[in-house]
Amino acid sequence: MNNNAKITLVGAGPGDPELISLKGIKAIESADVILYDALVNEQLLDYAPATCIKIYVGKRAEQQSIAQEEINQLLVDYALTHGHVVRLKGGDPYVFGRGGEEVDYVRQFGIETFVVPGISSSIGLTGLQQIPLTYRGISESFWVITGATSDGKLSKDLFTAVHTEATVVVLMGYSKLREIVALYKAAGKSELPIALIQNGSLPNEKLVLGTIDTILDESTEKRIGVPAIIILGEVVAKHREFEKVKVAVESLV
């Protein structure tokens, strides 16, 4: 067993390599092994020592990837044989990143664990687009919900969230957009503003603004795909381009 065995979960942020923390960079600089996900910007690997072993483990929403159980075992094996393992994850490790599951598994082997928080796409991408998640007099809270459960069904929390005035951010849910739209229409919220952000914070970022009534057509026209987050709520109307979208829609009526 390597006497320096430890594992650090590092949040890499939403994509832009400049949105990682200084503490996260220092962890990468001291890594003996890095296990990194598909949504991690590979420019961050340049901070690693030349001797560092870098292992791609996939984990992209709505696509096949290495089984979580295999990743858990790789973390333990490499920590015991090589020393400091950095588990580099997109966004924040504890916001739908399965970081809690990985730490629970590693602790069984008596290996030291550390977590470096990252900027979750739920707050980072909305902030970059200047969509406030909370706004006095409009939204008192925000919910971050997974679009689909492990068995592929629409998250039950969305059935509750649709009846609140809170801003709702849906991660890993673009494939469920049609179902989400139907849910909000059934709740009488056809005019509710909604935004889609694909590849947020990256040069190929796409943004689509609309309402529940229009977003399916807009997303098809703009050819939006994964990875994308969904933002639902009156705060979306605060985006600087939303009034233009509204005027364009009204002119077609």
Side-chain angles (χ1 to χ4, degrees):
M1 176 176 174
N2 192 302
N3 293 328
N4 297 317
K6 69 175 181 178
I7 293 172
T8 306
L9 273 60
V10 176
D16 182 339
E18 294 185 359
L19 292 177
I20 192 173
S21 68
L22 179 58
K23 194 175 187 71
I25 291 174
K26 288 181 177 179
I28 294 171
E29 289 175 337
S30 67
D32 297 304
V33 180
I34 297 175
L35 273 62
Y36 65 99
D37 287 346
L39 295 179
V40 168
N41 194 311
E42 293 192 9
Q43 291 181 41
L44 295 175
L45 300 177
D46 293 341
Y47 289 107
T51 55
C52 178
I53 299 170
K54 306 175 188 73
I55 303 168
Y56 173 78
V57 292
K59 303 304 292 180
R60 189 167 193 149
E62 300 164 349
Q63 293 186 18
Q64 288 187 339
S65 56
I66 295 176
Q68 185 62 51
E69 292 75 17
E70 185 177 346
I71 293 173
N72 292 346
Q73 193 59 52
L74 286 172
L75 287 170
V76 171
D77 291 347
Y78 276 107
L80 294 178
T81 57
H82 288 71
H84 184 202
V85 177
V86 166
R87 178 71 175 98
L88 192 57
K89 294 172 166 289
D92 180 90
Y94 277 10
V95 180
F96 297 116
R98 305 188 77 167
E101 295 176 40
E102 292 176 355
V103 167
D104 283 347
Y105 184 82
V106 168
R107 283 175 179 166
Q108 298 177 71
F109 298 85
I111 300 171
E112 272 195 304
T113 58
F114 302 89
V115 175
V116 179
I119 298 175
S120 168
S121 60
S122 59
I123 60 172
L125 302 188
T126 50
L128 289 171
Q129 283 293 339
Q130 299 179 37
I131 298 174
L133 292 176
T134 59
Y135 195 100
R136 187 167 54 178
I138 298 177
S139 176
E140 297 177 359
S141 64
F142 65 93
W143 298 31
V144 182
I145 304 174
T146 182
T149 58
S150 57
D151 59 1
K153 295 180 180 178
L154 194 65
S155 173
K156 291 180 180 178
D157 286 344
L158 279 165
F159 291 86
T160 302
V162 72
H163 297 294
T164 75
E165 298 302 317
T167 306
V168 176
V169 182
V170 183
L171 304 184
M172 302 173 291
Y174 183 71
S175 66
K176 297 290 184 182
L177 180 60
R178 191 169 294 276
E179 291 179 57
I180 293 169
V181 165
L183 181 65
Y184 273 78
K185 281 186 176 181
K189 295 191 173 182
S190 295
E191 298 302 315
L192 187 73
I194 177 173
L196 309 174
I197 304 174
Q198 179 187 2
N199 295 320
S201 80
L202 296 173
N204 60 340
E205 179 180 77
K206 288 183 180 180
L207 169 73
V208 176
L209 300 167
T211 64
I212 293 296
D213 259 348
T214 66
I215 197 63
L216 291 177
D217 288 340
E218 291 291 331
S219 63
T220 299
E221 182 181 334
K222 300 290 176 58
R223 298 184 180 181
I224 294 292
V226 295
I229 71 169
I230 305 169
I231 308 101
L232 304 112
E234 295 296 342
V235 293
V236 173
K238 289 294 180 181
H239 190 279
R240 57 188 176 275
E241 299 293 327
F242 190 81
E243 281 302 315
K244 294 180 182 179
V245 173
K246 185 178 178 182
V247 170
V249 171
E250 289 175 348
S251 67
L252 297 174
V253 177

